[in-house]
Amino acid sequence: MIAILRKNASDEAVSSIVSWIEGKGLTAHVSRGSNETVIGLVGDTTKIDPFLLESMDVVQRVQRVSEPFKKANRKFHPADTVIDFGGGVKIGGGAFQVIAGPCSVEGDNLIKIARRCKSAGATMLRGGAYKPRTSPYAYQGMGERGLDLLLEAKAETGMPIVTEVMDVRDVELFVDRGIDVMQIGARNAQNFNLLKEVGKTSTPVLLKRGIAGTIDELLMAAEYIMSEGNDNVMLCERGIRTFETRTRNTFDLNAVPALHYLTHLPVVADPSHATGYTRYVEPMALAACAAGADALEIEVHDNPAEAWSDGAQALTPDQFDRTMERIRAIRSVVADMAREEA
Amino acid sequence: MIAILRKNASDEAVSSIVSWIEGKGLTAHVSRGSNETVIGLVGDTTKIDPFLLESMDVVQRVQRVSEPFKKANRKFHPADTVIDFGGGVKIGGGAFQVIAGPCSVEGDNLIKIARRCKSAGATMLRGGAYKPRTSPYAYQGMGERGLDLLLEAKAETGMPIVTEVMDVRDVELFVDRGIDVMQIGARNAQNFNLLKEVGKTSTPVLLKRGIAGTIDELLMAAEYIMSEGNDNVMLCERGIRTFETRTRNTFDLNAVPALHYLTHLPVVADPSHATGYTRYVEPMALAACAAGADALEIEVHDNPAEAWSDGAQALTPDQFDRTMERIRAIRSVVADMAREEA
Amino acid sequence: MIAILRKNASDEAVSSIVSWIEGKGLTAHVSRGSNETVIGLVGDTTKIDPFLLESMDVVQRVQRVSEPFKKANRKFHPADTVIDFGGGVKIGGGAFQVIAGPCSVEGDNLIKIARRCKSAGATMLRGGAYKPRTSPYAYQGMGERGLDLLLEAKAETGMPIVTEVMDVRDVELFVDRGIDVMQIGARNAQNFNLLKEVGKTSTPVLLKRGIAGTIDELLMAAEYIMSEGNDNVMLCERGIRTFETRTRNTFDLNAVPALHYLTHLPVVADPSHATGYTRYVEPMALAACAAGADALEIEVHDNPAEAWSDGAQALTPDQFDRTMERIRAIRSVVADMAREEA
Amino acid sequence: MIAILRKNASDEAVSSIVSWIEGKGLTAHVSRGSNETVIGLVGDTTKIDPFLLESMDVVQRVQRVSEPFKKANRKFHPADTVIDFGGGVKIGGGAFQVIAGPCSVEGDNLIKIARRCKSAGATMLRGGAYKPRTSPYAYQGMGERGLDLLLEAKAETGMPIVTEVMDVRDVELFVDRGIDVMQIGARNAQNFNLLKEVGKTSTPVLLKRGIAGTIDELLMAAEYIMSEGNDNVMLCERGIRTFETRTRNTFDLNAVPALHYLTHLPVVADPSHATGYTRYVEPMALAACAAGADALEIEVHDNPAEAWSDGAQALTPDQFDRTMERIRAIRSVVADMAREEA
């Protein structure tokens, strides 16, 4: 961390700030130029609040030099993290998968949908058993019965399952039941206690970016999970909130290459939530694939008009067949590029 | 809810959509004009997903008529909710309070700060024992020991205490210890399980608006708490995330009169988080008061340079003395206006 | 337009609002249901201010039925607009081009850059002669001398040229000099007098989305140009302003399929401004292509470190060679899809 | 400007960057610490593009030290700018005014409205003769006839007049007619040629913040005007675009004290556009006053239901009477505070 002092900083003010820094257990390297005095802070800068430092009279600007995320940082772990679900299903490091299924687990149609997703080419199954809903009067999910149905679908199709955990008290259950991927939803992206709790397990986590979460906050949320010992984290861009209302969210696909630059963790993209409308899911799935996403998560429902949630953004199995074909075509070009670079 | 159909809607398409609506247990009132066909949906519209309805081919637009918040809605409860903390300390319905104290409970200085806040005119004490921090490496709060210190400060000063609860598993403890107000932080504004859990108690809740939460989402979060039986909810505007970086957040003071229009619940404003800099806290506290806030929450620390969190936005006790004087002057004008209208 | 009245609307209030509507020259169709009273407004609804109507006591909600953009609306002009620059260079209706060149025209290096862009596969040349800069102290462009250089590069390479016009007083000059495409920059996206002025010409216009412009505002800006008689309008997504700071802007690629759905005008995407960093330009160019953009605009500079503006986002000619190869590979997949659908 | 280099920066890389900086005519002060190498750039840093510098391989971060606005900067001009309209009407430096009048000049009712505004206590008259409208089909203003009516109202009431100029070609006319204040609207906040043109006059300018303009962009727009020689600039907060839709804009009142901190120019607040609804104008006018605004601009119309634009946010003359009374009461408290500080 660097503190740039005001031009008129007196020697006294400089010593006072140096003492303050040393009082926090860090070393302060003062460099007085003819124009600017700069203090370099060396040591555990997580103990320094940059806003507080900048609020001091003699300080003009504070600039972080090192990033606050460590375990998630590509600088310290250059190689891509690859998450292996067995049976050849991996995400990251060049391996690409499509996760598909209904928004909510609703009953026996899950197996039917799962079979269609698999035959279209999806390799992982999604479905919500516990649902975070804006309204307390909306459908809240099947709960544990939903997990049963997901596990039956897994037994039948062999697809690893991805499902959201909303409550710290449920994490143990998810682990006991053998859920393959615990999803942390956008509304819980800064529910730090939940992040810590899934961090204590070894189950892979699909971590969604917050409704209006920055890329750095997403990385810091991953850091919460990893700091507890669980390195199996996938980051998911699912659209952010902006002023635009023609689509449900604004799909920030810039985040895909930006995350690849900043972190070694796999990057998943969710064109269903990011657009909100069935008609935009296919082009944006292709765009996410071309941008380099390591996986896509796509909502598929056998009868969107009767879906219990998010029917407006679901693909039918027939639509999904075509979309998967096109994803494969784009993915094949992207994979060629990757091989060329390797 | 109203569905406006496309101009070329066939009789068949209209009957099909009517059947769909009736299948959800509602009644559909079709009104075919020479130019537009409009369907009014009557019944429990919480069963209808407006995005799904709008995604149907024959539908052009869907317009909600009634608001999705019921218990929080001023239409159904015109009189202001007043929350009474005893000893003459009330919030809402014309009663105004200032809640002050440090960001984090840090130790014995809490009592000292509390005394100074009280002598300046604050009537309620805030302080965080459990701290939601962006970084897992930052200070996470004193935990239960922090609650002890808050209760000691209450015993000493008589001020009711406000402190954040972050985890569903802690709610019982907060109730058992007799915490006066459970605060739900901005990052947990859509942690629906936590909202339900505090909703099962009768302890007043200070509910912060989400980092980028809409006014409607804030009201729906209140609705979660109220739908479980706890009507003692205060809503807090604490700044929202926008593109502006000269201040920590953008203080959406429009939300104060907008919330008063939409809901009967008291509206609190937090100029400390909304600005992020000590130098802006006073003018924005005055602005919030002039806009009609029912309470202010202001961070005060005896030594901001050594505060464990948010020192950049803390007032010193001396600064707070002056700010309170000015708040009283503005408040007296606002109270005169209210009397004039009554 | 539909006005939904409050439940308790008296007959008197209804007649009064009907008179008001009729006073504006429209017809009001009242439909009183048991639950809701709805008024359909028929006629020239551009004369009605929906906010004003909604602010009336008896009105609960107002819903536009028809969109305010007419000439740009795909509903009234289902076929794609194709803009033909001669020599086989067309944009729209399945024809795809890449526009490349430096941010600013700087001198003789323009021809050198133009040749490299052409040999890489670009078919149109961009370069700014008049530069909108945030600071009055920054380089403001070469002005008319820049146009000369662009025309020389065109004479040499045969590439149609695209350059920004910032001032109503310059439009005539641009037309006289035979500029192929007048670009309207993001900062002038609602400079309505400039839009009208370019609308009076027949020169194709590349209209950039405003810094924080909505999709609807972009369409209304196109409507300004078209309402003056110039139908040769291309819409350009170039990133919008959000809270995210890791990239220069947030590239709203959802806008590509959304614009294709709403309008017949060609859609261009600019991954250079949308990302701000050279390292993200290629993946986002590919993503834009996969999302269905009709053209890409990409900044190329022979020596980015010495570029007079926007060097941080420029590709070198060598980088551009590789990016063009990859764009062709993705584009070939997208073109196959389009053929399949036709 | 400070460039912080990467840890592994070689001597060669450092010399190369130093040469680059010197090539731009600046001096580079290198300070190599054991942990960080920092280069201080001294000289005319407006010649350096910080994004380009940061994009260089060896550079980790770039931090501006000095702000890019000079003439508008309070650091170099500590005393408040006061704009004097004669007859005791001043804005800035403790002097406070209310500017009131209709959104659009519509005809003879202007004089009637002006008289009522004056009798309520407003001292300046606003009214739009040239109107920037989102739709080309909406009313575009009376043009020069509107200026005539404003000047008649001025002759009658003595109130200086404020009216928007949208076109560089109209600036001369505004000056010739003796318009007291030229308003630059939010949509032209980065129409740099218009800013330069009004900068060449000595007529006071009321500069509105852009639709999604940052505080820094507002200051840079003022800098454009001032760099041409016109120092009579007032900055106007009128609400910014965010995700919130319950109000027309989000009123960023934090900008009032933030601008007072950063600049010596007067700060005006416009609660009419910032809220969009008559019912919120009064509380937010009071809030703006309490936050320290030097002037308010408020829309008043004798018959809002028939206003040609923005009727939903207009106060009637009777409403304005009450609002002015309350503004005076708040203002009197604020003025006392200012005296106390002086």
Side-chain angles (χ1 to χ4, degrees):
Chain A
M1 196 176 285
I2 296 277
I4 303 162
L5 304 193
R6 295 195 185 280
K7 274 196 182 155
N8 53 1
S10 67
D11 288 346
E12 214 178 340
V14 175
S15 337
S16 145
I17 208 159
V18 166
S19 307
W20 182 82
I21 292 164
E22 292 174 349
K24 304 282 181 193
L26 289 88
T27 310
H29 291 204
V30 179
S31 144
R32 293 205 81 143
S34 52
N35 277 268
E36 277 131 353
T37 299
V38 171
I39 302 183
L41 287 77
V42 180
D44 179 6
T45 53
T46 62
K47 289 186 181 148
I48 302 288
D49 173 356
F51 293 101
L52 176 57
L53 183 55
E54 197 168 280
S55 75
M56 294 180 182
D57 274 350
V58 72
V59 179
Q60 172 130 352
R61 290 288 167 95
V62 171
Q63 178 66 61
R64 272 183 193 283
V65 176
S66 57
E67 278 140 342
F69 48 99
K70 307 296 175 199
K71 290 172 180 283
N73 200 323
R74 191 181 279 277
K75 273 181 204 146
F76 311 128
H77 307 77
D80 287 346
T81 285
V82 181
I83 301 183
D84 191 339
F85 299 96
V89 178
K90 296 178 189 180
I91 291 180
F96 174 86
Q97 308 300 333
V98 175
I99 305 161
C103 179
S104 297
V105 177
E106 300 170 0
D108 293 338
N109 61 339
L110 179 67
I111 306 243
K112 187 176 150 194
I113 299 171
R115 281 194 202 115
R116 288 294 308 266
C117 289
K118 190 182 181 184
S119 77
T123 47
M124 298 178 76
L125 177 66
R126 66 149 286 148
Y130 297 84
K131 300 297 304 170
R133 306 302 299 278
T134 305
S135 166
Y137 310 121
Y139 173 63
Q140 308 273 317
M142 293 187 97
E144 199 171 348
R145 171 80 189 118
L147 299 187
D148 293 338
L149 288 165
L150 283 162
L151 290 163
E152 284 170 32
K154 179 186 177 180
E156 167 92 16
T157 61
M159 297 163 95
I161 55 182
V162 180
T163 191
E164 178 164 353
V165 63
M166 288 176 63
D167 193 310
V168 286
R169 296 167 298 194
D170 293 335
V171 171
E172 201 181 333
L173 172 71
F174 275 59
V175 172
D176 287 350
R177 301 299 305 268
I179 298 304
D180 298 282
V181 180
M182 286 190 282
Q183 180 167 303
I184 302 287
R187 285 166 194 78
N188 281 314
Q190 292 195 309
N191 179 341
F192 301 120
N193 290 30
L194 181 59
L195 297 173
K196 285 180 191 170
E197 210 67 33
V198 300
K200 288 174 192 154
T201 77
S202 59
T203 301
V205 177
L206 179 55
L207 176 63
K208 296 217 158 185
R209 184 176 183 179
I211 298 283
T214 63
I215 287 173
D216 281 67
E217 285 173 343
L218 178 56
L219 290 165
M220 291 309 292
E223 196 76 15
Y224 257 98
I225 298 169
M226 297 172 87
S227 71
E228 296 289 334
N230 186 350
D231 289 337
N232 299 311
V233 181
M234 297 171 280
L235 306 173
C236 183
E237 163 59 33
R238 42 75 74 200
I240 54 174
R241 176 168 288 168
T242 69
F243 56 82
E244 180 57 60
T245 57
R246 278 280 179 187
T247 50
R248 181 174 178 179
N249 289 296
T250 295
F251 203 4
D252 180 11
L253 282 179
N254 280 350
V256 176
L259 285 168
H260 279 315
Y261 179 75
L262 295 165
T263 184
H264 51 92
L265 297 173
V267 180
V268 182
D270 170 352
S272 305
H273 287 86
T275 60
Y277 293 96
T278 300
R279 63 177 172 268
Y280 303 140
V281 172
E282 182 180 288
M284 298 316 293
L286 301 180
C289 185
D294 299 299
L296 300 179
E297 187 173 22
I298 298 179
E299 291 188 352
V300 177
H301 195 283
D302 57 327
N303 186 359
E306 298 301 328
W308 295 4
S309 57
D310 283 352
Q313 70 196 32
L315 299 185
T316 62
D318 288 350
Q319 290 171 325
F320 185 59
D321 282 340
R322 189 185 89 164
T323 296
M324 278 303 297
E325 234 175 81
R326 294 179 165 196
I327 290 171
R328 271 190 297 271
I330 295 287
R331 177 64 200 168
S332 144
V333 175
V334 173
D336 283 350
M337 294 174 194
R339 264 189 296 276
E340 197 184 304
E341 283 174 45
Chain B
M1 194 176 287
I2 295 278
I4 303 162
L5 304 193
R6 296 196 185 280
K7 272 197 182 155
N8 53 2
S10 67
D11 288 347
E12 214 176 341
V14 175
S15 338
S16 145
I17 209 161
V18 166
S19 306
W20 182 83
I21 293 164
E22 292 174 349
K24 304 282 181 192
L26 289 87
T27 311
H29 290 205
V30 180
S31 142
R32 293 205 82 143
S34 52
N35 277 268
E36 277 130 353
T37 298
V38 171
I39 303 185
L41 286 76
V42 181
D44 179 5
T45 54
T46 64
K47 289 185 182 150
I48 301 288
D49 173 356
F51 293 100
L52 176 58
L53 183 54
E54 197 167 280
S55 75
M56 293 180 182
D57 275 350
V58 71
V59 179
Q60 171 129 353
R61 292 284 167 95
V62 170
Q63 177 65 63
R64 272 184 193 283
V65 177
S66 56
E67 278 140 342
F69 48 99
K70 307 296 177 198
K71 289 172 180 286
N73 201 322
R74 191 180 279 278
K75 272 181 207 147
F76 311 129
H77 307 78
D80 287 346
T81 284
V82 182
I83 301 184
D84 191 339
F85 299 96
V89 178
K90 296 178 189 180
I91 291 179
F96 173 87
Q97 308 299 332
V98 176
I99 305 161
C103 179
S104 294
V105 176
E106 300 170 0
D108 293 339
N109 61 340
L110 179 67
I111 306 245
K112 188 175 148 194
I113 299 170
R115 281 193 203 114
R116 288 293 307 266
C117 289
K118 189 180 182 184
S119 78
T123 47
M124 299 177 75
L125 178 66
R126 66 148 286 147
Y130 298 85
K131 301 297 304 170
R133 306 302 298 277
T134 304
S135 167
Y137 310 120
Y139 173 63
Q140 308 274 317
M142 294 188 95
E144 198 169 349
R145 171 78 188 121
L147 299 187
D148 292 340
L149 287 165
L150 283 163
L151 290 163
E152 284 169 32
K154 179 185 178 181
E156 168 92 16
T157 61
M159 296 164 95
I161 55 181
V162 179
T163 192
E164 178 164 352
V165 63
M166 287 176 62
D167 193 311
V168 287
R169 295 166 299 194
D170 293 335
V171 172
E172 200 180 334
L173 172 71
F174 275 59
V175 171
D176 287 350
R177 300 300 304 268
I179 299 304
D180 298 282
V181 179
M182 287 191 281
Q183 181 167 302
I184 301 288
R187 287 165 192 78
N188 282 314
Q190 292 194 308
N191 179 341
F192 300 121
N193 289 30
L194 181 59
L195 297 174
K196 285 180 191 169
E197 210 67 33
V198 300
K200 289 174 191 154
T201 77
S202 59
T203 301
V205 177
L206 179 54
L207 176 64
K208 294 217 159 184
R209 185 176 181 180
I211 298 282
T214 63
I215 288 174
D216 281 66
E217 285 174 343
L218 178 56
L219 290 165
M220 291 311 291
E223 195 77 15
Y224 257 97
I225 298 169
M226 298 171 87
S227 71
E228 296 290 334
N230 186 349
D231 289 337
N232 299 311
V233 181
M234 297 172 280
L235 306 174
C236 183
E237 164 57 34
R238 45 74 73 200
I240 55 173
R241 175 167 289 167
T242 68
F243 56 83
E244 181 56 59
T245 57
R246 278 279 178 188
T247 49
R248 181 175 180 178
N249 289 296
T250 295
F251 203 4
D252 180 12
L253 282 179
N254 279 351
V256 175
L259 284 169
H260 279 315
Y261 179 75
L262 294 166
T263 183
H264 50 92
L265 297 173
V267 179
V268 182
D270 171 352
S272 305
H273 287 86
T275 62
Y277 293 97
T278 300
R279 63 177 172 272
Y280 303 140
V281 171
E282 181 180 289
M284 297 317 291
L286 301 180
C289 185
D294 298 300
L296 301 179
E297 186 173 24
I298 297 179
E299 291 189 351
V300 177
H301 195 282
D302 57 328
N303 187 359
E306 298 301 329
W308 295 4
S309 57
D310 283 352
Q313 70 196 31
L315 298 185
T316 61
D318 287 351
Q319 290 171 325
F320 185 58
D321 281 340
R322 188 185 90 165
T323 296
M324 279 303 297
E325 235 175 80
R326 293 178 166 196
I327 290 171
R328 272 190 296 271
I330 294 288
R331 178 62 201 169
S332 143
V333 175
V334 173
D336 284 350
M337 293 174 194
R339 265 190 294 278
E340 196 184 305
E341 282 174 45
Chain C
M1 195 176 286
I2 296 278
I4 303 162
L5 305 193
R6 295 195 186 281
K7 273 197 182 155
N8 53 1
S10 67
D11 289 347
E12 215 175 341
V14 174
S15 336
S16 144
I17 209 159
V18 166
S19 307
W20 181 83
I21 292 165
E22 292 174 348
K24 303 283 180 191
L26 288 88
T27 311
H29 291 205
V30 180
S31 143
R32 294 205 80 143
S34 51
N35 277 267
E36 278 130 354
T37 298
V38 172
I39 302 185
L41 286 76
V42 181
D44 179 5
T45 53
T46 64
K47 289 186 181 147
I48 302 288
D49 173 356
F51 293 101
L52 176 57
L53 183 56
E54 198 167 280
S55 75
M56 295 180 181
D57 275 350
V58 71
V59 179
Q60 170 129 351
R61 291 285 166 95
V62 170
Q63 177 66 60
R64 273 184 193 284
V65 176
S66 56
E67 277 140 342
F69 47 99
K70 306 297 176 197
K71 288 172 182 287
N73 201 323
R74 191 180 278 279
K75 272 182 206 147
F76 310 130
H77 307 76
D80 287 346
T81 284
V82 181
I83 301 184
D84 191 340
F85 299 96
V89 178
K90 296 178 189 180
I91 291 180
F96 173 86
Q97 308 299 333
V98 175
I99 305 161
C103 179
S104 295
V105 177
E106 300 170 358
D108 292 339
N109 61 339
L110 179 66
I111 306 244
K112 188 175 148 194
I113 298 171
R115 281 194 202 114
R116 289 293 308 266
C117 289
K118 190 180 181 183
S119 78
T123 47
M124 299 178 75
L125 177 66
R126 66 148 287 147
Y130 298 85
K131 300 297 305 171
R133 305 303 298 276
T134 304
S135 167
Y137 310 120
Y139 173 64
Q140 308 273 316
M142 294 188 95
E144 197 168 350
R145 171 78 189 121
L147 298 187
D148 291 340
L149 288 165
L150 283 163
L151 290 162
E152 284 170 33
K154 179 184 177 181
E156 168 92 15
T157 61
M159 296 164 95
I161 55 181
V162 180
T163 192
E164 178 164 351
V165 62
M166 286 176 63
D167 193 311
V168 286
R169 295 167 300 194
D170 293 335
V171 172
E172 201 180 333
L173 172 71
F174 275 59
V175 171
D176 287 350
R177 301 299 305 269
I179 299 303
D180 298 283
V181 179
M182 287 190 282
Q183 181 167 302
I184 301 288
R187 286 166 193 77
N188 282 314
Q190 292 195 309
N191 179 342
F192 300 121
N193 290 31
L194 181 59
L195 297 174
K196 285 181 191 169
E197 211 67 32
V198 300
K200 288 174 191 154
T201 76
S202 59
T203 301
V205 177
L206 179 54
L207 176 64
K208 294 218 159 183
R209 185 177 181 179
I211 298 283
T214 62
I215 288 174
D216 282 66
E217 285 174 343
L218 177 57
L219 290 165
M220 291 310 292
E223 195 77 15
Y224 257 98
I225 298 169
M226 298 172 87
S227 71
E228 296 289 333
N230 187 349
D231 289 336
N232 299 311
V233 182
M234 296 171 279
L235 306 174
C236 183
E237 164 59 33
R238 44 75 72 200
I240 54 173
R241 175 167 289 167
T242 68
F243 56 83
E244 181 55 59
T245 58
R246 278 278 179 188
T247 50
R248 181 175 179 178
N249 289 296
T250 295
F251 203 3
D252 180 12
L253 283 179
N254 279 351
V256 175
L259 284 168
H260 279 316
Y261 179 75
L262 294 166
T263 183
H264 51 92
L265 297 173
V267 180
V268 182
D270 171 351
S272 304
H273 287 85
T275 61
Y277 294 95
T278 300
R279 63 177 172 270
Y280 304 140
V281 171
E282 181 180 289
M284 297 316 292
L286 302 180
C289 184
D294 298 299
L296 300 180
E297 188 173 23
I298 297 179
E299 291 189 351
V300 177
H301 195 283
D302 56 328
N303 187 359
E306 299 302 328
W308 296 4
S309 57
D310 282 353
Q313 70 196 31
L315 299 186
T316 61
D318 287 351
Q319 289 171 326
F320 186 58
D321 281 341
R322 189 184 91 163
T323 297
M324 278 303 297
E325 235 175 80
R326 294 179 166 196
I327 289 172
R328 272 190 296 271
I330 295 287
R331 177 63 200 168
S332 144
V333 175
V334 173
D336 284 351
M337 292 173 195
R339 264 190 296 277
E340 196 184 304
E341 283 175 45
Chain D
M1 196 175 285
I2 296 276
I4 303 162
L5 304 193
R6 294 195 186 281
K7 272 194 183 158
N8 53 1
S10 67
D11 288 347
E12 214 178 341
V14 174
S15 337
S16 144
I17 209 160
V18 166
S19 307
W20 181 83
I21 291 164
E22 292 173 350
K24 304 280 180 194
L26 288 87
T27 311
H29 291 204
V30 180
S31 143
R32 293 204 80 145
S34 52
N35 277 268
E36 277 131 354
T37 298
V38 171
I39 303 184
L41 287 76
V42 180
D44 179 5
T45 53
T46 62
K47 288 184 183 149
I48 302 288
D49 173 356
F51 293 100
L52 176 56
L53 184 55
E54 197 168 280
S55 75
M56 294 181 182
D57 274 350
V58 71
V59 180
Q60 171 130 353
R61 291 286 167 95
V62 171
Q63 177 66 61
R64 273 183 192 283
V65 177
S66 56
E67 278 140 343
F69 47 98
K70 307 296 176 197
K71 290 172 180 284
N73 201 322
R74 191 180 279 278
K75 274 182 204 144
F76 311 128
H77 308 77
D80 287 347
T81 284
V82 181
I83 301 183
D84 191 340
F85 299 96
V89 178
K90 296 177 188 181
I91 291 180
F96 174 86
Q97 309 300 333
V98 176
I99 305 161
C103 180
S104 297
V105 177
E106 300 170 359
D108 293 338
N109 61 337
L110 179 66
I111 306 244
K112 187 176 149 195
I113 299 171
R115 281 194 202 114
R116 289 293 307 267
C117 289
K118 189 181 182 183
S119 78
T123 47
M124 299 177 75
L125 178 66
R126 66 148 286 149
Y130 298 84
K131 300 297 303 170
R133 306 302 298 277
T134 304
S135 167
Y137 310 121
Y139 173 63
Q140 307 273 317
M142 292 187 97
E144 199 171 347
R145 171 80 189 118
L147 299 187
D148 292 339
L149 288 166
L150 283 163
L151 290 162
E152 284 170 32
K154 179 184 178 181
E156 167 94 16
T157 61
M159 298 163 95
I161 55 181
V162 180
T163 191
E164 179 164 352
V165 63
M166 287 176 62
D167 193 310
V168 287
R169 295 167 298 194
D170 293 335
V171 172
E172 201 181 333
L173 172 72
F174 275 59
V175 172
D176 287 351
R177 301 298 306 269
I179 298 303
D180 298 282
V181 180
M182 286 190 283
Q183 181 167 303
I184 301 288
R187 285 165 193 79
N188 282 314
Q190 292 195 310
N191 179 342
F192 300 121
N193 291 30
L194 182 59
L195 297 173
K196 285 180 190 170
E197 211 66 33
V198 300
K200 289 174 192 153
T201 77
S202 59
T203 301
V205 177
L206 179 55
L207 176 62
K208 295 218 159 183
R209 185 178 183 179
I211 298 283
T214 62
I215 287 173
D216 281 67
E217 285 174 343
L218 178 57
L219 290 164
M220 291 310 292
E223 196 76 15
Y224 257 98
I225 298 168
M226 298 172 87
S227 72
E228 296 289 334
N230 187 349
D231 289 337
N232 299 310
V233 181
M234 297 171 279
L235 306 173
C236 183
E237 164 59 32
R238 43 75 73 199
I240 54 174
R241 176 169 288 168
T242 68
F243 57 82
E244 180 56 59
T245 57
R246 278 280 179 188
T247 50
R248 181 175 178 178
N249 288 296
T250 294
F251 203 4
D252 180 13
L253 282 179
N254 279 350
V256 175
L259 284 168
H260 279 315
Y261 178 76
L262 295 166
T263 184
H264 51 91
L265 297 173
V267 180
V268 182
D270 170 352
S272 304
H273 286 86
T275 60
Y277 293 96
T278 299
R279 62 178 172 268
Y280 303 140
V281 171
E282 181 180 290
M284 298 316 293
L286 301 180
C289 186
D294 298 299
L296 301 179
E297 187 174 21
I298 298 178
E299 291 189 351
V300 177
H301 195 284
D302 56 328
N303 186 359
E306 298 301 329
W308 295 4
S309 57
D310 282 352
Q313 69 196 31
L315 298 185
T316 62
D318 288 349
Q319 290 171 325
F320 185 59
D321 281 340
R322 189 184 90 164
T323 296
M324 279 302 297
E325 235 176 82
R326 294 178 166 197
I327 290 171
R328 272 190 296 271
I330 295 287
R331 178 63 200 168
S332 144
V333 175
V334 173
D336 283 350
M337 293 174 196
R339 266 189 295 276
E340 195 185 304
E341 283 175 46

